[in-house]
Amino acid sequence: MTAVGEWFRRRRTPRTRRGASVEARLHDHVERLGEEHPPIPLDSVDYTMARPNVLADKFGPVLTYMSRVELEVERNVLELNLLLPEPPPVDRFFYGDVWLPQETHHGLILDKLQSLVGLPSSTLNLNHIDLRMRLLGALGKSTAIQDVTRMLYYLTGVATEQSAILAYNKLHRGLMQLGEKAVAATVIGPIRRQEPGHFAYYKIAAQGLWEELGAWQKWLARTIRRFSFEPVGAYDEAQRGDFGVVMERLGITGEGEAGLMRYAEQIGRVETELLWAQKEGLKVPAYVVDALRHAAYLAAGRNSAMAA
């Protein structure tokens, strides 16, 4: 057992209000993730490619976007330290000891792959924290507000990891269709096997914390989420357009509105069930659909400009 794990078992901080069974379940889950899914060894990857130029033409924007998102976890941890100055030990155990090392190796592997197919390395933001994050962090010094912030962190994690699972599955399928079996098996395959464990952590944590929030905290979480939701890794208009291109290259928007709605329902399912259970018949929050539509719109605008 890790030192963090032993400390967790002996002492829970006063801030941990979720039921003991949820905390124990989360801790066991993180320990299992760490034991069964260590960071992918960088020397275990086979970068042999049959047609690297074709791979770059078809999936270059996907590799560039994914490698950037994976490598920016360093900044994500800085944000978490700001937003959650007193997190439950199991949260710190998860994102510090398991999630961060795994995601960093994902990014390094994808970055090398895009380099080998002739693409430039991603431009990274590793230390600039958005003003909205700083404001929320300042408010989070209150225990009650920090519980809301944690809820938002879990919801973002759920949507992010579900997006990653879907994207890596589609990318793996696309690489197999291109005949790039080595890359599919030793790059994308191992990465996609680690993402569901992250998703499960956030889902369990979100469900447990939601039951502990008061009515006003739930209202605040819904309100902030409505105005702060954005596709994974898309923090400005350029990146939202990049995300739209990723959806296009992975075939998510190939079926038009039907494909986009299906994708929105998948990444928004957990928060629909938690935050909006009182709205019967709501398949997915409108803000999720609107964010994806906007990204697709920006990507379509780029295509039109290039064709002109």
Side-chain angles (χ1 to χ4, degrees), residues 24-184:
R25 184 181 175 194
L26 286 171
H27 182 267
D28 291 344
H29 179 71
V30 177
E31 280 213 324
R32 188 166 57 253
L33 280 181
E35 293 169 359
E36 298 179 0
H37 297 282
I40 300 167
L42 301 182
D43 59 0
S44 69
V45 178
D46 183 355
Y47 292 102
T48 302
M49 288 173 277
R51 297 179 296 169
N53 58 323
V54 175
L55 192 161
D57 287 343
K58 185 168 182 61
F59 294 118
V62 179
L63 293 178
T64 298
Y65 197 91
M66 288 180 164
S67 66
R68 175 181 66 79
V69 172
E70 299 280 18
L71 287 172
E72 286 185 343
V73 294
E74 183 177 327
R75 189 199 72 252
N76 296 153
V77 170
L78 292 178
E79 292 171 344
L80 287 173
N81 290 335
L82 175 67
L83 294 172
L84 307 173
E86 299 177 35
V90 70
D91 279 359
R92 196 180 295 278
F93 180 24
F94 169 69
Y95 69 72
D97 291 5
V98 176
W99 177 78
L100 175 61
Q102 288 180 349
E103 298 287 278
T104 298
H105 276 222
H106 296 175
L108 292 173
I109 290 169
L110 292 172
D111 187 61
K112 182 173 180 178
L113 176 60
Q114 70 171 350
S115 175
L116 290 174
V117 301
L119 299 170
S121 293
S122 303
T123 301
L124 305 177
N125 171 17
L126 298 180
N127 50 38
H128 176 72
I129 299 178
D130 187 84
L131 178 61
R132 292 174 299 174
M133 292 281 188
R134 295 183 184 277
L135 291 174
L136 196 54
L139 292 173
K141 293 179 180 179
S142 159
T143 298
I145 295 296
Q146 191 173 161
D147 284 343
V148 174
T149 303
R150 282 172 50 221
M151 190 69 219
L152 295 171
Y153 158 54
Y154 297 147
L155 291 172
T156 297
V158 164
T160 295
E161 298 301 341
Q162 184 62 35
S163 294
I165 291 168
L166 295 170
Y168 283 124
N169 283 341
K170 288 181 176 294
L171 181 56
H172 185 273
R173 189 178 307 117
L175 290 171
M176 291 296 291
Q177 291 172 349
L178 288 182
E180 300 295 354
K181 296 182 179 180
V183 171

Side-chain angles (χ1 to χ4, degrees), residues 280-307:
E280 295 183 8
L282 182 68
K283 290 186 176 182
V284 60
Y287 55 78
V288 176
V289 179
D290 291 344
L292 298 181
R293 280 178 180 155
H294 183 61
Y297 169 79
L298 293 174
R302 288 185 189 181
N303 291 337
S304 298
M306 291 176 63

